[in-house]
């Protein structure tokens, strides 16, 4: 079946511009997650959705970052006034349920480059 | 959150068995242990998950001692395509914070011909 899909796969933007990153999770998965991965680093948790609600926003690095999810499906991560330190791969994952024994299914990420 | 410690890198040759050990001294009673594999330019992929003793699937085996303070991922007869980063994750047992699992930098496994 279809996996997690992210778009665009690559995005180059100028410093100060806003960007929107999209994630289409696996159908029926109630939980959706956003992570950030800088070059050569591990994954940094950003935000998690249960249905359309985000009970845990603790990982968002600043108020320039926001995310929403609609229809218990598609999610959008928005970064306003991008900075060079925002350059990274942004990974989306979904899981059937938000419990420890429900594995995460990841997309291939959006590589964001801020020039 | 229970954090994990694993080697930064490992090398092996094709056909050998590889064992990657992860330490998680602060693991909680309800935590699961999960391993993921990541290839360049791809998101991590679930490999195996366990709670105690031994779990085996078509890809790997996971050994967890009785105290659960460590776990070992075993990859039998590795091939060049097993070259990847391997992450060990431990849940915090509350069932609703899977997204906050600590991935760390993982173990870069390089398989040589």
């Amino acid at each position: 079946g279809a996996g997690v899909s992210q778009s665009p796969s690559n995005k180059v933007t100028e410093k100060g511009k806003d960007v929107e990153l999209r994630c289409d999770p696996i159908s029926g998965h109630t939980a959706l997650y956003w992570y950030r991965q800088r070059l050569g680093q591990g994954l940094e948790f950003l935000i998690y959705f249960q249905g359309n609600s985000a009970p845990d926003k603790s990982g968002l690095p600043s108020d320039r970052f926001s995310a929403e999810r609609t229809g218990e499906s598609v999610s959008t991560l928005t970064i306003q006034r991008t900075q060079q330190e925002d350059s990274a791969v942004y990974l989306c994952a979904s899981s059937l349920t938000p419990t420890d024994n429900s594995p995460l299914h990841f997309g291939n990420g959006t590589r964001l480059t801020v020039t | 959150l229970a954090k994990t410690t694993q080697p930064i890198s490992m090398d092996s040759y094709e056909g050998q068995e590889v064992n990657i050990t992860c330490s998680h001294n602060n693991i909680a009673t309800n935590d699961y242990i999960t391993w993921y594999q990541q290839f360049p330019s791809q998101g991590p992929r679930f490999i195996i998950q366990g709670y105690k003793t031994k779990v085996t699937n078509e890809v790997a085996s996971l050994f967890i001692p009785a105290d659960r303070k460590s776990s070992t991922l075993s990859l039998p007869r590795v091939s060049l395509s097993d070259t990847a980063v391997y992450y060990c994750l431990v849940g915090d047992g509350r069932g609703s914070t899977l997204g906050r699992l600590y991935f760390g930098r993982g173990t870069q496994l390089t398989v040589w011909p």
Side-chain angles (χ1 to χ4, degrees), chain A residues 37 89 91 106-109 111, chain B residues 37-45:
Chain A
Q37 186 171 34
V89 176
L91 289 160
F106 282 86
N108 286 330
R111 181 176 299 278
Chain B
Q37 175 191 55
Q38 186 177 28
F39 297 113
S41 301
Q42 294 185 23
R45 182 175 72 104

Side-chain angles (χ1 to χ4, degrees), chain A residues 4-6 21-35 45-56 67-77 91-99 102-107, chain B residues 96 98-100:
Chain A
V4 176
S5 177
Q6 293 187 246
L21 312 180
R22 177 186 169 108
C23 173
D24 286 87
I26 293 174
S27 178
H29 279 195
T30 64
L32 185 146
Y33 314 83
W34 284 97
Y35 284 85
F45 169 76
L46 298 179
I47 191 169
Y48 142 72
F49 287 91
Q50 170 56 25
N52 293 331
S53 300
D56 189 352
E68 66 173 10
R69 187 182 186 194
T70 57
E72 299 194 357
S73 179
V74 173
S75 176
T76 303
L77 177 68
L91 289 160
C92 174
S94 67
S95 66
L96 189 61
T97 64
T99 55
S102 183
L104 275 67
H105 298 261
F106 282 86
Chain B
S96 63
L98 184 61
R100 293 171 59 225

Side-chain angles (χ1 to χ4, degrees), chain B residues 38-108:
Chain B
Q38 186 177 28
F39 297 113
S41 301
Q42 294 185 23
R45 182 175 72 104
F46 170 84
I47 301 176
I48 197 166
Q49 183 180 71
Y51 182 80
K52 62 180 180 180
T53 62
K54 176 183 175 183
V55 179
T56 297
N57 62 22
E58 66 278 6
V59 176
S61 294
L62 179 59
F63 298 92
I64 305 168
D67 67 4
R68 305 201 325 122
K69 293 185 182 298
S70 67
S71 59
T72 299
L73 175 73
S74 181
L75 305 172
R77 299 178 298 282
V78 294
S79 64
L80 297 177
S81 62
D82 292 317
T83 294
V85 177
Y86 292 82
Y87 297 96
C88 164
L89 280 71
V90 174
D92 73 357
R94 290 184 285 171
S96 63
T97 57
L98 184 61
R100 293 171 59 225
L101 288 177
Y102 177 69
F103 270 80
R105 294 185 63 177
T107 297
Q108 171 67 58

